[in-house]
Amino acid sequence: MNLLAHAALAYLSLDELPGVKKEGEIAAFLTGSLMADFCRGCNLADYSGTLALAIQQHRAIDYETDASSEFIACRQALAAAGAPRHTASILVDMFWGHILAADWKQLVEPGCGLDLSAFSSLLYGILNTVRQDRKKDDVERANMGAEIGVSPAFARAAVWMVDYHWFEGLARRSGIAQSLQGLSRRLSGADELAKSISLLDTQEELLRKALYAFWPRLVAFSRQWAADHCEC
């Protein structure tokens, strides 16, 4: 799942984690939900309990998503439609992020009570506490993860998420195109990824129907996972 979805699912799970809300750890939980992809192979013991819990939930959500019939069907459809080799899963993730943002009012706002702009502002406020440490000198920056409790890779990513208003940008086709362009530069062997925006035009109806079918189950899964792992 994409980062906006992970943050939304974490937020929608908070009622199952009264300890997190009681201890004022909401920011840490949302941070962990966003950070998980930037600390692969990390030792969870290096992070606070709330951060580690959110990272674990993020990973459980990814496993649940990858195994879902909707995700598999969309991945196969994009591959058949010409997605570059080994990129179909990435494209489903990105295109679902676009649909989630574009249809936020229908899919997420009823549950969280915040429109996309307000929810994005909440996330930027959290990310700004991370990005402030990017202003430290190079020696301090090398130890950034230990100092502020997040991975250095995530601290770097926080800068562009805020500067480019990344979450709201997902709602626009141009925002997705820009994200794909960035991924094509960063991922080895994904030079053609940026051109895959054309697949959104031909496959959007299928992708939207699949996400609408899967999203309520994923919300329920996320809430149940939180309830099962709550140490309250």
Side-chain angles (χ1 to χ4, degrees):
M1 263 294 173
N2 55 83
L3 293 182
L4 179 60
H6 277 294
L9 291 165
Y11 192 86
L12 292 168
S13 300
L14 288 173
D15 284 344
E16 311 303 329
L17 299 166
V20 169
K21 296 178 75 173
K22 182 179 179 181
E23 296 167 15
E25 291 286 299
I26 292 175
F29 193 68
L30 292 176
T31 297
S33 74
L34 293 170
M35 186 178 75
D37 285 339
F38 299 91
C39 60
R40 296 182 186 278
C42 67
N43 184 353
L44 291 181
D46 292 339
Y47 300 108
S48 73
T50 302
L51 274 173
L53 182 68
I55 291 169
Q56 290 174 299
Q57 187 197 46
H58 177 119
R59 293 173 178 172
I61 288 168
D62 278 346
Y63 287 133
E64 183 73 9
T65 299
D66 290 349
S68 71
S69 59
E70 291 86 356
F71 184 87
I72 293 170
C74 288
R75 185 189 66 208
Q76 292 174 340
L78 289 181
R85 188 180 182 188
H86 303 313
T87 66
S89 292
I90 296 171
L91 289 170
V92 176
D93 181 88
M94 295 296 294
F95 292 159
W96 272 5
H98 164 66
I99 294 167
L100 186 74
D103 293 9
W104 184 269
K105 185 175 291 292
Q106 293 78 29
L107 287 168
V108 186
E109 189 173 335
C112 77
L114 298 172
D115 63 21
L116 179 60
S117 178
F119 189 74
S120 298
S121 294
L122 171 66
L123 297 181
Y124 296 142
I126 293 169
L127 291 171
N128 268 324
T129 66
V130 174
R131 70 174 290 173
Q132 292 305 314
D133 289 77
R134 289 285 293 160
K135 298 178 181 178
K136 295 177 181 290
D137 63 37
D138 289 341
V139 174
E140 290 176 320
R141 196 174 296 160
N143 296 318
M144 188 189 316
E147 290 174 356
I148 65 174
V150 302
S151 73
F154 179 64
R156 292 190 293 272
V159 175
W160 57 258
M161 287 184 199
V162 175
D163 285 351
Y164 290 99
H165 301 280
W166 189 74
F167 297 108
E168 300 103 315
L170 288 174
R172 301 186 296 272
R173 188 181 187 281
S174 60
I176 288 294
Q178 185 178 38
S179 294
L180 289 175
Q181 184 69 47
L183 277 174
S184 70
R185 290 194 297 266
R186 292 194 298 272
L187 296 179
S188 175
D191 297 342
E192 299 296 313
L193 194 59
K195 300 177 183 177
S196 299
I197 187 65
S198 61
L199 293 174
L200 180 60
D201 300 324
T202 61
Q203 304 298 317
E204 186 168 5
E205 182 178 358
L206 179 148
L207 290 159
R208 177 170 274 105
K209 286 182 178 178
L211 181 59
Y212 268 78
F214 180 51
W215 182 254
R217 296 205 319 273
L218 191 59
V219 171
F221 171 85
S222 302
R223 286 174 168 161
Q224 188 60 55
W225 189 97
D228 291 344
H229 292 79
C230 178
E231 297 180 0
C232 307

PDB file of all heavy atoms in Angstrom, residues 104 114-122 124 168:
ATOM      1  N   TRP A 104     -11.088  10.718  -1.599  1.00  0.00           N
ATOM      2  CA  TRP A 104     -10.929  10.778  -0.141  1.00  0.00           C
ATOM      3  C   TRP A 104     -12.265  11.020   0.569  1.00  0.00           C
ATOM      4  O   TRP A 104     -12.553  10.415   1.605  1.00  0.00           O
ATOM      5  CB  TRP A 104      -9.952  11.888   0.210  1.00  0.00           C
ATOM      6  CG  TRP A 104      -9.616  12.013   1.656  1.00  0.00           C
ATOM      7  CD1 TRP A 104     -10.258  12.790   2.592  1.00  0.00           C
ATOM      8  CD2 TRP A 104      -8.543  11.357   2.359  1.00  0.00           C
ATOM      9  NE1 TRP A 104      -9.645  12.653   3.818  1.00  0.00           N
ATOM     10  CE2 TRP A 104      -8.600  11.788   3.700  1.00  0.00           C
ATOM     11  CE3 TRP A 104      -7.549  10.458   1.964  1.00  0.00           C
ATOM     12  CZ2 TRP A 104      -7.688  11.350   4.657  1.00  0.00           C
ATOM     13  CZ3 TRP A 104      -6.634  10.018   2.922  1.00  0.00           C
ATOM     14  CH2 TRP A 104      -6.713  10.466   4.249  1.00  0.00           C
ATOM     15  N   LEU A 114     -11.698  14.163   8.728  1.00  0.00           N
ATOM     16  CA  LEU A 114     -10.824  15.193   8.171  1.00  0.00           C
ATOM     17  C   LEU A 114     -10.826  15.105   6.654  1.00  0.00           C
ATOM     18  O   LEU A 114     -10.754  14.000   6.102  1.00  0.00           O
ATOM     19  CB  LEU A 114      -9.384  15.007   8.672  1.00  0.00           C
ATOM     20  CG  LEU A 114      -9.150  15.120  10.177  1.00  0.00           C
ATOM     21  CD1 LEU A 114      -7.711  14.720  10.505  1.00  0.00           C
ATOM     22  CD2 LEU A 114      -9.440  16.526  10.676  1.00  0.00           C
ATOM     23  N   ASP A 115     -10.913  16.254   5.979  1.00  0.00           N
ATOM     24  CA  ASP A 115     -10.760  16.212   4.529  1.00  0.00           C
ATOM     25  C   ASP A 115      -9.291  16.033   4.183  1.00  0.00           C
ATOM     26  O   ASP A 115      -8.415  16.051   5.074  1.00  0.00           O
ATOM     27  CB  ASP A 115     -11.361  17.451   3.864  1.00  0.00           C
ATOM     28  CG  ASP A 115     -10.684  18.760   4.251  1.00  0.00           C
ATOM     29  OD1 ASP A 115      -9.523  18.743   4.709  1.00  0.00           O
ATOM     30  OD2 ASP A 115     -11.314  19.824   4.079  1.00  0.00           O
ATOM     31  N   LEU A 116      -8.988  15.843   2.917  1.00  0.00           N
ATOM     32  CA  LEU A 116      -7.615  15.533   2.523  1.00  0.00           C
ATOM     33  C   LEU A 116      -6.660  16.658   2.892  1.00  0.00           C
ATOM     34  O   LEU A 116      -5.534  16.411   3.343  1.00  0.00           O
ATOM     35  CB  LEU A 116      -7.537  15.254   1.016  1.00  0.00           C
ATOM     36  CG  LEU A 116      -6.149  14.929   0.468  1.00  0.00           C
ATOM     37  CD1 LEU A 116      -5.560  13.690   1.136  1.00  0.00           C
ATOM     38  CD2 LEU A 116      -6.210  14.730  -1.053  1.00  0.00           C
ATOM     39  N   SER A 117      -7.088  17.891   2.721  1.00  0.00           N
ATOM     40  CA  SER A 117      -6.225  19.025   3.046  1.00  0.00           C
ATOM     41  C   SER A 117      -5.891  19.051   4.528  1.00  0.00           C
ATOM     42  O   SER A 117      -4.728  19.236   4.915  1.00  0.00           O
ATOM     43  CB  SER A 117      -6.911  20.332   2.634  1.00  0.00           C
ATOM     44  OG  SER A 117      -6.113  21.450   2.984  1.00  0.00           O
ATOM     45  N   ALA A 118      -6.887  18.844   5.379  1.00  0.00           N
ATOM     46  CA  ALA A 118      -6.663  18.860   6.820  1.00  0.00           C
ATOM     47  C   ALA A 118      -5.792  17.682   7.260  1.00  0.00           C
ATOM     48  O   ALA A 118      -4.904  17.831   8.108  1.00  0.00           O
ATOM     49  CB  ALA A 118      -7.997  18.837   7.558  1.00  0.00           C
ATOM     50  N   PHE A 119      -6.049  16.513   6.691  1.00  0.00           N
ATOM     51  CA  PHE A 119      -5.250  15.343   7.056  1.00  0.00           C
ATOM     52  C   PHE A 119      -3.808  15.518   6.593  1.00  0.00           C
ATOM     53  O   PHE A 119      -2.856  15.192   7.325  1.00  0.00           O
ATOM     54  CB  PHE A 119      -5.847  14.079   6.435  1.00  0.00           C
ATOM     55  CG  PHE A 119      -5.208  12.809   6.929  1.00  0.00           C
ATOM     56  CD1 PHE A 119      -5.460  12.333   8.199  1.00  0.00           C
ATOM     57  CD2 PHE A 119      -4.342  12.081   6.109  1.00  0.00           C
ATOM     58  CE1 PHE A 119      -4.864  11.166   8.668  1.00  0.00           C
ATOM     59  CE2 PHE A 119      -3.754  10.910   6.559  1.00  0.00           C
ATOM     60  CZ  PHE A 119      -4.016  10.449   7.840  1.00  0.00           C
ATOM     61  N   SER A 120      -3.622  16.062   5.395  1.00  0.00           N
ATOM     62  CA  SER A 120      -2.271  16.316   4.890  1.00  0.00           C
ATOM     63  C   SER A 120      -1.545  17.308   5.782  1.00  0.00           C
ATOM     64  O   SER A 120      -0.357  17.133   6.090  1.00  0.00           O
ATOM     65  CB  SER A 120      -2.321  16.848   3.456  1.00  0.00           C
ATOM     66  OG  SER A 120      -2.905  15.900   2.585  1.00  0.00           O
ATOM     67  N   SER A 121      -2.244  18.341   6.228  1.00  0.00           N
ATOM     68  CA  SER A 121      -1.635  19.334   7.113  1.00  0.00           C
ATOM     69  C   SER A 121      -1.189  18.699   8.421  1.00  0.00           C
ATOM     70  O   SER A 121      -0.133  19.052   8.970  1.00  0.00           O
ATOM     71  CB  SER A 121      -2.617  20.476   7.386  1.00  0.00           C
ATOM     72  OG  SER A 121      -2.881  21.215   6.212  1.00  0.00           O
ATOM     73  N   LEU A 122      -1.999  17.775   8.927  1.00  0.00           N
ATOM     74  CA  LEU A 122      -1.625  17.036  10.133  1.00  0.00           C
ATOM     75  C   LEU A 122      -0.312  16.290   9.916  1.00  0.00           C
ATOM     76  O   LEU A 122       0.612  16.348  10.747  1.00  0.00           O
ATOM     77  CB  LEU A 122      -2.734  16.061  10.510  1.00  0.00           C
ATOM     78  CG  LEU A 122      -2.428  15.057  11.633  1.00  0.00           C
ATOM     79  CD1 LEU A 122      -2.238  15.776  12.954  1.00  0.00           C
ATOM     80  CD2 LEU A 122      -3.553  14.025  11.741  1.00  0.00           C
ATOM     81  N   TYR A 124       2.001  16.907   7.590  1.00  0.00           N
ATOM     82  CA  TYR A 124       3.118  17.826   7.365  1.00  0.00           C
ATOM     83  C   TYR A 124       3.619  18.398   8.683  1.00  0.00           C
ATOM     84  O   TYR A 124       4.823  18.632   8.849  1.00  0.00           O
ATOM     85  CB  TYR A 124       2.699  18.955   6.424  1.00  0.00           C
ATOM     86  CG  TYR A 124       2.334  18.500   5.034  1.00  0.00           C
ATOM     87  CD1 TYR A 124       1.285  19.094   4.340  1.00  0.00           C
ATOM     88  CD2 TYR A 124       3.019  17.457   4.414  1.00  0.00           C
ATOM     89  CE1 TYR A 124       0.927  18.667   3.067  1.00  0.00           C
ATOM     90  CE2 TYR A 124       2.670  17.026   3.148  1.00  0.00           C
ATOM     91  CZ  TYR A 124       1.616  17.631   2.477  1.00  0.00           C
ATOM     92  OH  TYR A 124       1.276  17.204   1.217  1.00  0.00           O
ATOM     93  N   GLU A 168      -1.433  15.808  -1.014  1.00  0.00           N
ATOM     94  CA  GLU A 168      -2.490  16.378  -1.850  1.00  0.00           C
ATOM     95  C   GLU A 168      -2.206  16.154  -3.336  1.00  0.00           C
ATOM     96  O   GLU A 168      -3.124  15.991  -4.140  1.00  0.00           O
ATOM     97  CB  GLU A 168      -2.638  17.886  -1.628  1.00  0.00           C
ATOM     98  CG  GLU A 168      -2.971  18.298  -0.220  1.00  0.00           C
ATOM     99  CD  GLU A 168      -1.756  18.839   0.495  1.00  0.00           C
ATOM    100  OE1 GLU A 168      -0.679  18.209   0.379  1.00  0.00           O
ATOM    101  OE2 GLU A 168      -1.871  19.876   1.145  1.00  0.00           O
TER     102      GLU A 168
END
